[in-house]
Amino acid sequence: MSTDNTDSTGRQNETPAPFPFLKTTPEAAPAEPDNALGAFTRSLRTAMRRWYGIARPVVGHWLEERADDLRDAFRNGWDETTTWIKATVGATVLLAVAAVVVMSVALIAESAVDGVNAVAGIEIPAGIDGRTGLLASITGPVWTYLQNHTAGLAVSAPTAYGTWILTGAGTGLLSFLTRAFGARLAWGATGAATGWMVWQGAPADGREVALGIAVIAFALLSIPALRGFRIRGF
């Protein structure tokens, strides 16, 4: 029994196949419009095809080299690692350290603000009830100076006074612990500002004595704060 689709006259039967989706004859792609847009589309497709043919082996070769670098880094250790891996690891570590430092500084600043608020209502020693009055010879003029020069500012005199105390203690401690140039520079600037406020806030008859006491106190405190400090050539 014949299984082809011919009738008794020998002509091909035009009855469609029962399963059209099994048809293997490729259908022609829809023709692109023969205009400027069609020409541009064909040119773009051709350029992309050429670019892909050129870029594929180049990118593949580059990726293979980077994979070899990573394998060599795990196999040979850090000393034999290529520069780009060291730079990537270093940048990542630097960013992580910077993030930690920023968060730490934010916490320290917040703590400093709380400390300033805590000492905002502190009573300034007048030196009358003190045993020697040496401390009051420094803090009294500073307090007087801040009272006279914060009237038109948003910050109050107690807050400025508390900030001065925290700045002196903080810069001295950082200078002692880190020996960093910035910390020592801040410590020196704090001492200079303290001397200026003592001179301006002390009574006219006792300015020299008050400033001298402040300089002596700052010099004694600078011994631990400036430990290890040397002038070049000495």
Side-chain angles (χ1 to χ4, degrees):
M1 181 178 180
S2 176
T3 57
D4 58 355
N5 295 327
T6 56
D7 54 11
S8 59
T9 60
R11 293 179 302 176
Q12 184 72 23
N13 193 351
E14 296 180 358
T15 304
F19 302 105
F21 61 87
L22 296 178
K23 185 177 181 181
T24 59
T25 304
E27 296 182 357
E32 296 179 352
D34 191 10
N35 51 23
L37 180 60
F40 174 76
T41 304
R42 289 191 295 271
S43 300
L44 181 61
R45 184 180 292 110
T46 302
M48 291 180 63
R49 195 176 292 118
R50 290 177 179 176
W51 178 86
Y52 178 76
I54 297 174
R56 181 178 180 181
V58 175
V59 174
H61 180 67
W62 184 86
L63 291 176
E64 290 178 359
E65 289 182 346
R66 301 292 77 78
D68 292 339
D69 292 340
L70 291 174
R71 285 191 291 267
D72 292 339
F74 285 104
R75 186 184 302 113
N76 301 328
W78 178 258
D79 293 336
E80 301 297 330
T81 302
T82 56
T83 304
W84 74 268
I85 297 178
K86 292 181 178 180
T88 303
V89 174
T92 304
V93 173
L94 183 61
L95 290 176
V97 171
V100 173
V101 170
V102 169
M103 291 187 293
S104 300
V105 170
L107 292 175
I108 293 174
E110 184 178 356
S111 301
V113 172
D114 294 338
V116 170
N117 294 331
V119 301
I122 190 172
E123 295 182 1
I124 308 305
I128 299 176
D129 298 331
R131 294 184 178 182
T132 61
L134 291 175
L135 180 61
S137 298
I138 301 173
T139 58
V142 172
W143 172 250
T144 302
Y145 178 84
L146 293 175
Q147 276 188 318
N148 295 334
H149 292 82
T150 55
L153 299 178
V155 63
S156 64
T159 302
Y161 181 80
T163 304
W164 169 68
I165 294 176
L166 291 176
T167 302
T171 55
L173 182 62
L174 287 175
S175 180
F176 174 77
L177 294 176
T178 64
R179 300 185 184 183
F181 174 78
R184 290 175 172 175
L185 181 63
W187 169 252
T190 303
T194 300
W196 172 261
M197 290 187 292
V198 169
W199 176 264
Q200 295 293 328
D205 296 337
R207 285 180 175 176
E208 292 81 1
V209 176
L211 181 59
I213 293 174
V215 171
I216 292 173
F218 181 77
L220 293 175
L221 293 174
S222 295
I223 295 175
L226 300 180
R227 67 186 182 94
F229 177 77
R230 292 183 180 181
I231 300 177
R232 184 174 297 179
F234 293 90

